[in-house]
Structure formats: structure tokens, C-alpha cells
């Protein structure tokens, strides 16, 4: 194997594929990145990684003098590629070593037995496409509510439901639930699918493809293995195994009506919650006390430190005295709302609050995103 | 008992009597449980006697000094003690009575100084530095405590008097039983340096071994070893700590803060057990017991720990702190089960298991993060109902099906009860 490649192209490609190299590989060769150079008219470098859960593959233009394959330690190659000077990079194998030269820097890495590296799962046919920035934004808004407890794997995923042109993303850790809808362009207008995708992988991948004009999602079919989702854009492809288990039937959990709606400036509430939460030890609750045209934020209690703050607030509907939330969950929700105004809809202090965004106090709430938050029940 | 025992010479090591810089007393009851039993059964006086469980797996919890002459000591398996002294008198423990005697003794201490730090039922630190004007010098106070404990409870105690806590504790150990020893401030180093390294606070078996490997056998050896060497061998915290102690420096003050409460239960199996299903069922039973006690007392706790003692007596504990305190047996068991399964034991033989909840708070001060889709009345309410039935119909009136004797449903590790509460982050 022998090729020359632009330094930035090389570093980006290695970085992308390196994201999916496992930190603690089950098998030693899974710590590797698989480099393959293809010569001829379609001369290119392809880098792949795989840990039996997630695979990553990237193709980059390279000047290939000699086709070949090599497997080298992924983390090391990522670090090296990142540190190389701004010069063309020459890579070649010599016996069992891989040499990387760039300007006056030279690295030699031992190669791993590439024939033992597992074949990557085939990429399913794309089912449709969506602009990278739309997907990245939507996934980030939803993934924040996903669980992080591997003991409950079905809560660590983002549920993707496709119905024709409509895509719905949802995630919950049972303390909050985020739901986002968006439009996409399916190859088949009648396409429908549902999948539970590991939230972290989906968020990382969507973020890395945020500047792609179009990102393709490829839902596995019966013939290609159903437990797989492919994501493709910018000559980068990821496949991830889907999670098993029943995602909660969340639609029935959304409150059918909310007698009280409070409107606040998102930034003002965020700042106030952050301030009072300084005294909320171990994420103890932040109380919201509604009082005319303002809401008072209060954290801490009794003999311990207490924090108070107040912001403007317009309440409509039935009167609501107070409700309390875990400040971290509230702040994560406000950040995900991503709109200047937040509408908070309440039923009562022990029922879920539903947060939606709006462009202004006068505007209607955006109907493409909601963040449902379970309150904290205060001691009697 | 003759008073001569109480007034025997005090300073066996010839350290002198100067208690001027010695505000700390360590008071330690002698063979406490055994002495309390002797006090209420005078016919046992002078006879070898032990307090302990009589079952096949019982252990000695206390032994009179007469019994100790047979080589019997507390924590020894009862079967072994009975082999050493087949005719010995065995008295089953009466913890309620010991607690009452202990409370009376502690109350007496608090009448002398508010600065009392109980370490257990039978020992406490006292700081009498501020009591001189009213109650006299530390030595006078100690003598009075010893006389009063004897008069009121009919048992003896030993008192160490020193400038610091750990030296006072060493002093009481030195003068046991029924003794009093002052270690004057200017004699602390002379008192400490001939002692074996194991006498120092914080030196257990493993550290002792490490010190021996460095050729350090006495406290004096440690004192004359460069601190950097100790730090290299034992780590920064332990190395610095020992270097300080070896010169008698101990910054700890007598802390009157109530020791953190905890609620726990443990069980020694009749025979060693290696079956995970049996161990999980026992953890469930203990969790039920702990949960019921906590609810009765109005406590909730955030840290759940388990204790596992293996057949060879090595003992480990593991704990997990939840974000929200609980008093729900089912949640306590969920944590205990996770901790046990996290040990990844390969059918190791287990002698004892225990479940404990620490980080206790008042249950009605707990904030509850509500869970999406959960019924408003859940396990906690179900368990409160069980508590009421237990009050009315007796223990075991309602219990988990797995704990029904006639219905030994196996509790295999991969299944078990699944609560859908995410683990705390």
C-alpha cells in the first residue's frame, strides 16, 4: 500500500473513522483502523472501523501508487494525524509496518493482522434524505432526554418513526420526554419504518454530518438485516445496530389538556435557574412560585443555603401556585427548546409539564418540538 | 468486688503523673457484655463465661477475662470456643440490656463534659479540657468515672489519658483491664516509640506487612524514616498520616456530632452457600427487613451497601449512592441485587450477607422525582400496606412470593425483579 494525500483530508478522514474505534475493545484487532487504498481511475483511500455495534467508513481522494490494505492502532493514528504539519502526507506499508511521512515528520506503526478484522456490515439502500443541519439539530433536541443507564438499554435510544414525508424522533429516560417532528424526502413516498437507535451514536454521527447538504438514512430491510440503521453523507457512512425492547408508548402519556400556560423568556428563565441552582445540593428541586406577572425561582430549604430569583412571566388559564423541577432537567429542556420564548403548560404540580418554544410572546407555540418534564413532588 | 482492684497502681510503665497537657480521655469498658452479665448474675463471678449465639454458626461476642485464659476471644466461632473450654458457661446476648447500661454510662459522661464522642456501646472519647474548674484534673475525673461506673453498674472500665485521641486509646489498651494510665505530653514519644507498628491508628494487616517489608517494626522505626519514603511506599495520605502519628501528632478533635445513623441487617447462613438464587433470596429478605425498619422509624437513606463474608472470613462491602433517598424495600433490594451481581462471583462460598442503608434523612423531607407513566400510588404505598398488616397479624403475614417457604420460586440472576427506575447518574 502506498499513497499520498492532502493533510486536512487525511486528518478529517482518520478522525471520522476513529470516532467509532472502541475505547476498550473486546478483541485486540478491534482497536484498529482499516486503511485501504484503491488505485486506477477511481483512486482513493478508504478508512473503516467496526466494533460489532457501530461501523464507520469514509472515503477520501488520494493519489494511490500501490493498492493495498493495512490495519493499525486507531487511537494512535488519530493522534498522529491530528498533529501532522501542514504538508502532503505520504503513507506506505513496509513489511509489517506502516510509515507515515509528512514534511520532516516520520512515524512508523506496527500493523495488526488485517485478515482477522471482521467484515463490515453492508450498508442498506438509502430510504430517504434530509439536510445535515436539520437532522443534527433535531437529534440534539431529542437525544438530551435519552437515558444513560445501560441497565435499561431500551431507554438509551432515540425512537425514529417514519411515515411518508414525516419523521418523528422521540427519547425518554422516564423523567422527561422529548419529541421532534421533521420533514424529509423519502425515496418511496409511501415509505414507513420504525427503529430504536442508540442515542449517543446517533447524536455524534448527526453532529459530524451537520454540514452535509443531504444526509441519507437507510433503514435495514429483511434481506440486509433488520437490526441496522445506516447514515450516510459527505462520503461518510455509519451503520449502527438497533436497540431491542419496547419503547414506551409515549403518545398516550402526553397530557390531553393543560389548563395553565405560563410564558417566559427562555434566556431569562435559564439564567435565573442557573443562579438559584447554585444552592440546590445534589440536584434538589428548584421551585417555581407563580405570582401575578412574575415567577419566583427558589432553591434550597430550611437551615441550608437558599437562593431566590424572579423573572417576568405571563400566565393564562387556571391559576397555578407552584411546581418544582430537577434543575438539570429543566435547564436541558430550556436549552433544547432553542426559541426566544418558552411556553410551559401545566395540569397540576404532580403532573407532567410540557415545554414548547415560540418566536415571541405573541406568536403561537412551535408544534414541531415538545419537551415533557416530570415535576418533583415536594415534602408535605 | 474488692476496691483494691480499682486502686491498684496506675502507671505501669512509669511515665509519671503529669496530666497538665492531657485533656483527652478514652474510656473503655472491660469485656463489656460479659461484665454486664456477671453484674446481674453474681454466681458467675470468677468463672469463665462467654456471651454469644449458641447456634452451630454462632460467634463469641464477649468473653470474661477468665474465659480469655483459655485462648477464647470475641469474634471466635462458638464451636471453637466450646472445643477450647467444653464446660464454659454460655450466655445468649441481651442487646437491649447492654444498650440500656451503655446509655446510663454515656449519660454520666455527658454530665461531666458535653464533649463526648461515643465510638460504640462500650467506649467513648471525652475532652475534659474545659471541665477542670468544676470537676478537677483529667486524672481526678478519670478516677471518679471509674469509681462511679463500678458503683452504679457493677462493671469495670479502663481509662487512657493523653494529649491526643489515638494516644489516649493506646493508653487505655495498655492499662486494661480495670486500669488508668496517663501519658504526659512530654512522654508521648517515649510511650509510642517502642510499640509495634500495628498499634498505630490506621495500620491494618496489609499496611503492617508493607511496613515490615521496609524493615519497620516499631513506631520509633517509622518516626525515623524519611516522610518521602513512607509516602512512596504507602501513598500520600497513609504515608503522611503515619509520619504524623509516629510523633504523637493527631489533629482529630473529640467530635460530639452524632454518628451518622444507618439501618442494616445481616444473616450468617447455617451452612456456607454458593447458590446465587439462595443469596439473592436472602438479600431480598434482608432488604424487606431493613425497609420495614426504616419506614417504621420514618427514615429514608441514599446509600445502600451490601456486605459479603466468604467461607474463609474475608469480608467485602460494596455500596451505591442513589440520587434520591429511599425507604422502599423493593428499591433497596434493587440496589443490593445490582451490587451483588456486580461482584461477578463464580459460585464463591459465602458465609454471611448483609444489607445496610446509610445517609439517613427524615423520610418526610424527601423530594420525589416523579416518573412518567408511573401510577401515583406505587410500591411505597403497597409496602406501607404490608407494614400495617404485619402490625396486625405478625411478621411474615404478607411477604414476597419468593420468600414463601412452600413456594421456593428460584430467583435466577438474569431475571429477578425489574424496576424500571433508571440508575442514578
Amino acid at each position: 500500500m502506498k499513497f499520498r494525500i492532502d493533510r486536512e483530508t487525511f486528518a478529517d478522514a482518520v478522525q471520522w473513522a476513529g470516532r467509532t474505534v472502541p475505547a476498550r475493545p473486546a478483541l485486540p484487532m478491534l482497536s484498529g483502523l482499516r486503511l485501504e487504498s484503491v488505485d486506477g481511475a477511481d483512486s482513493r483511500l478508504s478508512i473503516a472501523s467496526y466494533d460489532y455495534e457501530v461501523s464507520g467508513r469514509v472515503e477520501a481522494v488520494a493519489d494511490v501508487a500501490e493498492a493495498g490494505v493495512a490495519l493499525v492502532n486507531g487511537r494512535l493514528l488519530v493522534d498522529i494525524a491530528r498533529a501532522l504539519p501542514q504538508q502532503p502526507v505520504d503513507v506506505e506499508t513496509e513489511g509489517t509496518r506502516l510509515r507515515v511521512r509528512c514534511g520532516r515528520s516520520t512515524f512508523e506503526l506496527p500493523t495488526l493482522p488485517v485478515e482477522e478484522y471482521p467484515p463490515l456490515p453492508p450498508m442498506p439502500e438509502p430510504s430517504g434524505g434530509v439536510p445535515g443541519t436539520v437532522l443534527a439539530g433535531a437529534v440534539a433536541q431529542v437525544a438530551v432526554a435519552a437515558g444513560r443507564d445501560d441497565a435499561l438499554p431500551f431507554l438509551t435510544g432515540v425512537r425514529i418513526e417514519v411515515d411518508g414525508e414525516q419523521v418523528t424522533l422521540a427519547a425518554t429516560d422516564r423523567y422527561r420526554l422529548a419529541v421532534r417532528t421533521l420533514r424529509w424526502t423519502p425515496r418511496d413516498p409511501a415509505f414507513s419504518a420504525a427503529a430504536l437507535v442508540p442515542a449517543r451514536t446517533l447524536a455524534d454521527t448527526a453532529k459530524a454530518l451537520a454540514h452535509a447538504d443531504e444526509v441519507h438514512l437507510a433503514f435495514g430491510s429483511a434481506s440486509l438485516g433488520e437490526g441496522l440503521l445506516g447514515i450516510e453523507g459527505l462520503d461518510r457512512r455509519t451503520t449502527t445496530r438497533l436497540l431491542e425492547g419496547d419503547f414506551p408508548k409515549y403518545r398516550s402519556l402526553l397530557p390531553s389538556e393543560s389548563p395553565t400556560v405560563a410564558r417566559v423568556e427562555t434566556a431569562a428563565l435559564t439564567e435565573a435557574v442557573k443562579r438559584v441552582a447554585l444552592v440546590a445540593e445534589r440536584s434538589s428541586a428548584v421551585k417555581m412560585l407563580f405570582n401575578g406577572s412574575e415567577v419566583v425561582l427558589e432553591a434550597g430549604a430550611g437551615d441550608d443555603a437558599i437562593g431566590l430569583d424572579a423573572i417576568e412571566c405571563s400566565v393564562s388559564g387556571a391559576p397555578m401556585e407552584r411546581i418544582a423541577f430537577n434543575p438539570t432537567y429543566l435547564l436541558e429542556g430550556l436549552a433544547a427548546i432553542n426559541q426566544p420564548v418558552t411556553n410551559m403548560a401545566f395540569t397540576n404540580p404532580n403532573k407532567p409539564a410540557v415545554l414548547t418554544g415560540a418566536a415571541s410572546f405573541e406568536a403561537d407555540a412551535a408544534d414541531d418540538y415538545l419537551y415533557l418534564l416530570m415535576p418533583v413532588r415536594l415534602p408535605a | 468486688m474488692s476496691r483494691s482492684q480499682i486502686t491498684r497502681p496506675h502507671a505501669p510503665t512509669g511515665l509519671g503523673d503529669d496530666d497538665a497537657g492531657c485533656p483527652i480521655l478514652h474510656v473503655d469498658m472491660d469485656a463489656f457484655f460479659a461484665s454486664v452479665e456477671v453484674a446481674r448474675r453474681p454466681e458467675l463471678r470468677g468463672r469463665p463465661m462467654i456471651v454469644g449465639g449458641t447456634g452451630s454458626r454462632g460467634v463469641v461476642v464477649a468473653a470474661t477475662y477468665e474465659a480469655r485464659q483459655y485462648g477464647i476471644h470475641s469474634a471466635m466461632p462458638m464451636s471453637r470456643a466450646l472445643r477450647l473450654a467444653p464446660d464454659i458457661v454460655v450466655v445468649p446476648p441481651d442487646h437491649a440490656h447492654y444498650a440500656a447500661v451503655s446509655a446510663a454510662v454515656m449519660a454520666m459522661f455527658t454530665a461531666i463534659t458535653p464533649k463526648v464522642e461515643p465510638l460504640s456501646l462500650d467506649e467513648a472519647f471525652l475532652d475534659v479540657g474545659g471541665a477542670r474548674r468544676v470537676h478537677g484534673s483529667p486524672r481526678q475525673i478519670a478516677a471518679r468515672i471509674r469509681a462511679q461506673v463500678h458503683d452504679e453498674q457493677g462493671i469495670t472500665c479502663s481509662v487512657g489519658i493523653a494529649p491526643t485521641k489515638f494516644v489516649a486509646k493506646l493508653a487505655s489498651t495498655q492499662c486494661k483491664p480495670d486500669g488508668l494510665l496517663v501519658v504526659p505530653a512530654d512522654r508521648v514519644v517515649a510511650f509510642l516509640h517502642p510499640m509495634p507498628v500495628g498499634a498505630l491508628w490506621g495500620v491494618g494487616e496489609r499496611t503492617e506487612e508493607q511496613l515490615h517489608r521496609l524493615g519497620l517494626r516499631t513506631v520509633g522505626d517509622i518516626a525515623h524514616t524519611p516522610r518521602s519514603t513512607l509516602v512512596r511506599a504507602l501513598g500520600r495520605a497513609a504515608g503522611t498520616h503515619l509520619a504524623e502519628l509516629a510523633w504523637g501528632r493527631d489533629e482529630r478533635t473529640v467530635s460530639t456530632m452524632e454518628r451518622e445513623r444507618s439501618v442494616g441487617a445481616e444473616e450468617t447462613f447455617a451452612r456456607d452457600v454458593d447458590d446465587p438464587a439462595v443469596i439473592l433470596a436472602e438479600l431480598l429478605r434482608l432488604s424487606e427487613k431493613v425497609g420495614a425498619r426504616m419506614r417504621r422509624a420514618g427514615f429514608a437513606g441514599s446509600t445502600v451497601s451490601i456486605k459479603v463474608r466468604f467461607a474463609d472470613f474475608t469480608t467485602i462491602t460494596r455500596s451505591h449512592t442513589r440520587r434520591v433517598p429511599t425507604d422502599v424495600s423493593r428499591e433497596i433490594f434493587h440496589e443490593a441485587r445490582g451490587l451483588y451481581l456486580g461482584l461477578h462471583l463464580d459460585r464463591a462460598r459465602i458465609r454471611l450477607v448483609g444489607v445496610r442503608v446509610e445517609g439517613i434523612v427524615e423520610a418526610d423531607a424527601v423530594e420525589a422525582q416523579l416518573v412518567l407513566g408511573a401510577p401515583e400510588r406505587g410500591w411505597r404505598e403497597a409496602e406501607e400496606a404490608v407494614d400495617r398488616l404485619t402490625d396486625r397479624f405478625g411478621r411474615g403475614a404478607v411477604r414476597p412470593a419468593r420468600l414463601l417457604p412452600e413456594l421456593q420460586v428460584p430467583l435466577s440472576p438474569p431475571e429477578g425483579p425489574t424496576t424500571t427506575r433508571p440508575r442514578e447518574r
Side-chain angles (χ1 to χ4, degrees), chain A residues 162-177:
Chain A
V162 183
D163 182 13
E165 287 189 353
Q166 170 137 317
V167 178
T168 307
L169 307 177
T172 181
D173 60 3
R174 305 208 331 146
Y175 301 137
R176 55 260 171 86
L177 162 72

Side-chain angles (χ1 to χ4, degrees), chain B residues 246-266:
Chain B
W247 288 101
R249 290 189 286 261
D250 176 10
E251 299 291 319
R252 294 174 306 156
T253 56
V254 172
S255 145
T256 52
M257 287 254 288
E258 195 178 341
R259 293 205 308 152
E260 194 173 67
R261 291 170 293 181
S262 69
V263 178
E266 54 188 53

Side-chain angles (χ1 to χ4, degrees), chain A residues 128-143 158-170 178-186 191 193 202 206 213-217 219 250-251 366-370:
Chain A
V130 58
T133 155
V134 172
L135 183 69
V139 169
Q141 279 181 301
V142 169
V158 170
R159 163 99 170 166
I160 305 181
E161 291 170 15
V162 183
D163 182 13
E165 287 189 353
Q166 170 137 317
V167 178
T168 307
L169 307 177
V179 184
R180 166 74 200 258
T181 53
L182 56 109
R183 302 244 144 223
W184 82 327
T185 316
F191 180 80
L202 182 62
D213 291 340
E214 187 169 45
V215 175
H216 292 108
L217 298 184
F219 292 86
Y250 61 88
R251 288 196 172 83
D367 59 1
D368 63 349
Y369 180 70
L370 69 83

Side-chain angles (χ1 to χ4, degrees), chain B residues 131-410:
Chain B
R132 180 179 291 270
R133 195 175 280 264
V134 181
H135 297 285
S137 75
R139 157 182 286 289
Q140 289 165 336
I141 293 173
R144 230 182 74 209
I145 286 175
R146 283 169 30 76
Q148 207 172 334
V149 167
H150 183 260
D151 290 348
E152 290 177 9
Q153 305 298 340
I155 59 175
T156 62
C157 63
S158 303
V159 185
I161 306 168
T164 58
K165 279 163 78 166
F166 95 100
V167 177
K169 181 155 173 141
L170 287 176
S172 72
T173 309
Q174 281 278 302
C175 66
K176 256 182 173 314
D178 197 17
L180 182 156
L181 177 61
V182 182
V183 182
D186 58 358
R187 305 303 307 271
V188 166
V189 169
F191 171 73
L192 279 179
H193 281 193
M195 294 206 169
V197 292
L200 286 183
W201 169 51
V203 177
E205 240 172 77
R206 227 178 73 76
T207 311
E208 188 172 18
E209 221 170 80
Q210 282 172 306
L211 291 168
H212 284 180
R213 236 177 290 135
L214 294 175
L216 308 179
R217 304 217 152 248
T218 66
V219 176
D221 292 342
I222 295 180
H224 293 104
T225 301
R227 184 172 296 222
S228 56
T229 308
L230 295 171
V231 166
R232 209 162 38 241
L234 305 169
R236 173 156 303 279
T240 314
H241 171 76
L242 287 191
E244 290 291 308
L245 290 187
W247 288 101
R249 290 189 286 261
D250 176 10
E251 299 291 319
R252 294 174 306 156
T253 56
V254 172
S255 145
T256 52
M257 287 254 288
E258 195 178 341
R259 293 205 308 152
E260 194 173 67
R261 291 170 293 181
S262 69
V263 178
E266 54 188 53
E267 180 69 24
T268 305
F269 294 111
R271 227 174 291 132
D272 294 339
V273 171
D274 65 357
D275 181 353
V278 175
I279 291 156
L280 284 170
E282 187 56 41
L283 289 174
L284 174 60
R285 198 182 67 82
L286 294 169
S287 300
E288 294 277 332
K289 195 168 165 180
V290 169
R293 273 170 52 192
M294 294 183 62
R295 290 190 297 276
R296 188 171 297 269
F299 291 157
S302 49
T303 301
V304 176
S305 69
I306 61 163
K307 172 167 154 186
V308 176
R309 177 168 296 149
F310 296 101
D312 65 357
F313 274 85
T314 54
T315 306
I316 55 172
T317 60
R318 292 289 182 272
S319 68
H320 179 243
T321 300
R322 300 160 44 87
R323 196 173 48 75
V324 180
T326 185
D327 60 357
V328 179
S329 303
R330 191 182 167 85
E331 291 177 356
I332 297 170
F333 173 65
H334 176 78
E335 301 290 348
R337 175 177 176 275
L339 291 167
Y340 167 71
L341 295 179
L343 295 173
H344 298 293
L345 298 180
D346 188 12
R347 297 198 84 93
R349 289 168 57 227
I350 291 176
R351 182 184 167 86
L352 168 151
V353 290
V355 174
R356 179 166 294 278
V357 178
E358 291 152 273
I360 299 285
V361 296
E362 301 294 331
D364 55 14
V366 173
E367 298 176 345
Q369 168 67 54
L370 299 174
V371 172
L372 183 60
E376 264 185 51
R377 297 184 172 275
W379 271 103
R380 189 170 193 284
E381 288 71 22
E383 290 183 0
E384 282 173 347
V386 171
D387 293 342
R388 286 192 293 277
L389 288 168
T390 306
D391 285 346
R392 219 168 132 191
F393 298 110
R395 187 172 305 229
V398 180
R399 55 185 142 175
R402 246 180 252 106
L403 298 179
L404 289 177
E406 59 274 30
L407 205 122
Q408 282 292 342
V409 183

